[in-house]
């Protein structure tokens, strides 16, 4: 099972790839960020993110892509760009016929540290321990992407069922 | 000058194309909607919107694409999908090297009816009058897309300068 985690963002889109024969033995394949300049217009930034994520997918051929679920309530000033970057990740996944799973930041923190209220340093420290790394991936967006991938490895099944239920509910509302 | 207006949405993405030799003589080229089913997963919906908008751009070859500016404050439940559909429109524009202009709903209403608080029926009625149509484009998303294109035709210059100023401001903040 190979998982690509994506922590969406316009300026820094974190990406992390893990491999696991079993959920108990994950190891880090690669980690990094797709960066775009705030001097570029929005469309070209999204295009650069698409090209960057596409390259990660083609190189790493993940079985599933885990993307942070973006809520409109958080960070009103930046949520549009973050939602759009997340949309690009889903677009790239769909184009490669790779399933997507969405996880909230709270779900990721809870899966990695046991507490949904853990801070970034705690999450990074657990990522180091779980994957037996020498140091935490930098910047924080990269570490968060790896945490998302680990969350998917461990919680994927149940979260996907939940997402399917939400989608089915929305579909039923759409039919009314 | 040919303008493609896009009223972004996951279920119905309105599209309208107008042509004008001068701002005083616009005429409607084509209008419609790109639809996606709520039964599809989000990634495949975005992919379908990308393919649909791409076809509109290739067929109509607009000089500029006007997209409704999405605010996180409005419709918290649907804003993520709307923002993502808008992002796809910007992505498609960037790929074709076509400039994008963003207009708020208030700007569009003010440009078309003279009042930023006009309702949908008033906007549709003015679209019919301005373009000498027999009836308003249906559904409302299609009429809104035409209104966006007209807004861009009349206000494009100043709005673009404003957008450039906002972007420059954001870039300066990003450098700090």
């Amino acid at each position: 099972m190979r998982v690509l985690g994506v922590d969406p963002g316009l300026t820094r889109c974190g990406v992390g790839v893990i491999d696991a024969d079993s959920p108990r033995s994950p190891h880090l394949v690669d980690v990094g960020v797709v960066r775009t300049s705030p001097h570029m217009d929005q469309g070209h930034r999204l295009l650069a993110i698409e090209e960057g994520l596409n390259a990660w997918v083609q190189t790493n051929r993940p079985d599933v892509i885990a993307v942070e679920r973006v809520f409109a309530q958080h960070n009103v000033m930046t949520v549009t760009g973050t939602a759009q970057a997340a949309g690009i990740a889903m677009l790239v996944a769909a184009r490669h016929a790779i399933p997507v799973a969405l996880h909230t930041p709270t779900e990721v923190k809870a899966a990695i540290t046991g507490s949904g209220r853990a801070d970034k340093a705690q999450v990074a420290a657990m990522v180091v321990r779980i994957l037996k790394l020498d140091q935490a991936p930098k910047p924080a967006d990269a570490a968060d992407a790896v945490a998302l991938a680990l969350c998917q490895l461990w919680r994927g099944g149940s979260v996907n069922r939940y997402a399917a239920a939400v989608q089915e509910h929305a579909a039923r509302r759409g039919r009314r």
Side-chain angles (χ1 to χ4, degrees), chain A:
Chain A
M1 165 72 76
R2 177 167 285 196
V3 185
L4 170 64
V6 177
D7 183 33
L10 267 189
T11 303
R12 284 181 304 278
C13 202
V15 275
V17 183
I18 60 166
D19 244 348
D21 293 328
S22 92
R24 289 181 172 276
S25 60
H27 67 95
L28 185 66
V29 176
D30 203 357
V31 59
V33 282
V34 175
R35 291 173 195 275
T36 76
S37 163
H39 300 283
M40 294 162 74
D41 70 68
Q42 189 100 337
H44 282 91
R45 297 183 83 174
L46 295 171
L47 194 56
I49 289 169
E50 188 207 21
E51 287 165 359
L53 292 180
N54 203 54
W56 275 82
V57 168
Q58 287 189 317
T59 303
N60 292 287
R61 304 259 161 216
D63 300 300
V64 58
I65 299 180
V67 182
E68 188 176 293
R69 189 184 289 276
V70 179
F71 285 109
Q73 298 94 305
H74 306 148
N75 298 319
V76 167
M77 295 303 287
T78 59
V79 74
T80 303
T82 307
Q84 291 174 342
I88 297 300
M90 293 182 214
L91 177 80
V92 169
R95 196 177 289 138
H96 289 271
I98 298 169
V100 168
L102 302 178
H103 301 276
T104 67
T106 303
E107 285 168 345
V108 174
K109 289 173 191 170
I112 305 303
T113 70
S115 164
R117 303 176 67 184
D119 62 22
K120 279 188 178 290
Q122 285 172 285
V123 172
M126 283 304 295
V127 164
V128 167
R129 240 169 94 175
I130 294 160
L131 294 169
K132 301 179 179 66
L133 307 178
D134 293 329
Q135 55 180 358
K138 292 269 165 54
D141 313 78
D144 285 347
V146 175
L148 263 160
L150 287 169
C151 176
Q152 169 60 22
L153 184 67
W154 292 334
R155 297 192 43 167
S158 62
V159 171
N160 283 345
R161 281 197 297 275
Y162 173 74
V166 169
Q167 204 182 335
E168 173 59 20
H169 176 70
R172 257 191 253 118
R173 285 183 51 188
R175 278 198 295 273
R176 271 177 214 159

